C-alpha cells in the first residue's frame, strides 16, 4: 500500500533558523496530514491539507502540496528548541482507503 | 474522556506469554486505529475499527495478533505467544467519523518489551 517517504531522515539546525522537511508519495491522495512525535510516544496532529489545496498555514507552520509532483513540504519558521521531535506525514486515500499510512519520519533537532 | 488513554504504559513480558493492550478512545469517536512502531522506525498499521467492526485488519502480522472492540468504545489488542520481534511501541488513535478526513488523536502508547 501507499507510504510516504520523508526527506531528510534527520535535520539539525540552530534556534531561530527555519526547518523544511519533505514528503513524497506515489499514488493519488485525498489529503495529507503532518504529525509531530516527541520522545517516541504519541503523535500530535499538526495540520491537514486536502488534495485541492496548495498551501496552508498554522502559526509558525506552513505546509505546501504539489499533487503534480506528488510531494508536500512542512516549513517551521523561527524554530525553537521545543520543536525538537520527529515529524511524520500521513497519507489518506488512494490505495490506503480508510486509514492513514505513514513514512519513516524526519528527526528534527533544534540546538539552543 | 479528554484524550485517548492506553494501558499499560509499559509492559515487560517473557517470550511465549500472552499480553493484552487496552485503548480507551475519546468518547463518541467511532473510528479507532492500532499502529506499531519499532525502535527508530515509522508507524506500521495494524487494524482499524469503525464502530465494533474491523473493515481493515490487513496489517496484523500473524494469527498471534487479534483485536476487538466492544460497545463502540474500548479496544483490546491481544498478542499470543509473544516473540522478541513483537517488542515495540503500540499506538492507538481515534477519530470522529472517518479519521482520514479529520485527523487522528493518538494515545501515548504502550511500550512492550519481550524478554
Amino acid at each position: 500500500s501507499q507510504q510516504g517517504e520523508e526527506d531528510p531522515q534527520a535535520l539539525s539546525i540552530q534556534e531561530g533558523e527555519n526547518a523544511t522537511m519533505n514528503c513524497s508519495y506515489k499514488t493519488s491522495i485525498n489529503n495529507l496530514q503532518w504529525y509531530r512525535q516527541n520522545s517516541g510516544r504519541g503523535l500530535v496532529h499538526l495540520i491537514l491539507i486536502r488534495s485541492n489545496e496548495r498551501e496552508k498555514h498554522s502559526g509558525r507552520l506552513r505546509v505546501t502540496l504539489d499533487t503534480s509532483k506528488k510531494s508536500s513540504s512542512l516549513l517551521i519558521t523561527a524554530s525553537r528548541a521545543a520543536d525538537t521531535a520527529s515529524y511524520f506525514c500521513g497519507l489518506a486515500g488512494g490505495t490506503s482507503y480508510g486509514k492513514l499510512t505513514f513514512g519513516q519520519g524526519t528527526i528534527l533537532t533544534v540546538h539552543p | 474522556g479528554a484524550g485517548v488513554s492506553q494501558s499499560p504504559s509499559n509492559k515487560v513480558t517473557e517470550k511465549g506469554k500472552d499480553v493484552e493492550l487496552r485503548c480507551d478512545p475519546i468518547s463518541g469517536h467511532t473510528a479507532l486505529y492500532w499502529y506499531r512502531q519499532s525502535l527508530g522506525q515509522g508507524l506500521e498499521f495494524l487494524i482499524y475499527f469503525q464502530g465494533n467492526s474491523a473493515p481493515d485488519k490487513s496489517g496484523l502480522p500473524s494469527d498471534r495478533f487479534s483485536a476487538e472492540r466492544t460497545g463502540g468504545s474500548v479496544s483490546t489488542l491481544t498478542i499470543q505467544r509473544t516473540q522478541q520481534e513483537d517488542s515495540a511501541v503500540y499506538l492507538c488513535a481515534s477519530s470522529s467519523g472517518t479519521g482520514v478526513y479529520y485527523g487522528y488523536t493518538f494515545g501515548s502508547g504502550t511500550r512492550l518489551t519481550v524478554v
Side-chain angles (χ1 to χ4, degrees), chain A residues 30-31 33 35 37 39-45 48 50 88 92 96-104, chain B residues 9-10 33 35 37 41-43 45 48 56 89 91 99-104 106-111:
Chain A
N30 176 280
N31 67 72
Q33 304 177 25
Y35 289 79
Q37 183 182 40
S39 306
R41 288 296 189 155
L43 281 71
V44 174
H45 182 260
L48 181 154
R50 294 188 165 80
F88 293 87
S96 59
Y97 179 77
K99 63 184 184 288
L100 293 178
T101 57
F102 294 90
Q104 300 296 305
Chain B
S9 56
N10 288 284
Y33 307 81
Y35 288 81
Q37 186 177 31
Q41 300 297 306
L43 276 73
F45 168 78
Y48 101 87
D56 189 345
V89 175
L91 293 164
V100 292
Y101 302 117
Y102 300 100
Y104 293 175
F106 278 87
S108 295
T110 292
R111 185 179 300 279

Side-chain angles (χ1 to χ4, degrees), chain A residues 41-77:
Chain A
R41 288 296 189 155
L43 281 71
V44 174
H45 182 260
L46 296 176
I47 198 163
L48 181 154
I49 186 164
R50 294 188 165 80
S51 59
N52 61 352
E53 298 175 313
R54 292 296 167 257
E55 187 170 314
K56 286 191 83 168
H57 297 254
S58 177
R60 294 184 296 112
L61 306 180
R62 180 172 78 100
V63 169
T64 60
L65 178 64
D66 186 334
T67 53
S68 66
K69 295 181 179 177
K70 293 186 169 57
S71 69
S72 173
S73 67
L74 170 66
L75 168 67
I76 304 173
T77 60

Side-chain angles (χ1 to χ4, degrees), chain B residues 51-102:
Chain B
N52 290 336
S53 63
D56 189 345
K57 54 180 83 169
S58 63
L60 295 177
S62 73
D63 58 9
R64 295 187 296 106
F65 287 72
S66 63
E68 65 174 11
R69 189 179 185 195
T70 55
S73 180
V74 172
S75 177
T76 302
L77 177 69
T78 301
I79 309 173
Q80 295 178 312
R81 304 181 303 282
T82 51
Q83 304 294 313
Q84 288 186 327
E85 61 262 28
D86 299 335
S87 296
V89 175
Y90 288 81
L91 293 164
C92 174
S94 72
S95 71
S96 58
T98 306
V100 292
Y101 302 117
Y102 300 100

Side-chain angles (χ1 to χ4, degrees), chain B residues 17-70:
Chain B
K17 300 280 191 184
D18 297 352
V19 295
E20 283 190 355
L21 312 180
R22 177 186 168 105
C23 174
D24 270 289
I26 291 174
S27 178
H29 277 191
T30 57
L32 185 148
Y33 307 81
W34 284 98
Y35 288 81
R36 177 170 76 170
Q37 186 177 31
S38 301
L39 187 63
Q41 300 297 306
L43 276 73
E44 176 189 5
F45 168 78
L46 298 178
I47 186 171
Y48 101 87
F49 290 90
Q50 191 65 244
N52 290 336
S53 63
D56 189 345
K57 54 180 83 169
S58 63
L60 295 177
S62 73
D63 58 9
R64 295 187 296 106
F65 287 72
S66 63
E68 65 174 11
R69 189 179 185 195
T70 55

Side-chain angles (χ1 to χ4, degrees), chain A residues 3 5-6 11 13 15 17 20 23 25 29 31-32 50-51 58 63 73-74 81 87 92-93 96 98 101 107-108 112:
Chain A
Q3 182 171 331
E5 291 185 14
E6 285 96 340
L11 182 59
I13 60 174
E15 231 174 8
E17 294 180 340
T20 300
C23 173
Y25 56 93
I29 58 171
N31 67 72
L32 186 149
R50 294 188 165 80
S51 59
S58 177
V63 169
S73 67
L74 170 66
Y87 292 81
S96 59
T101 57
I107 300 171
L108 173 65

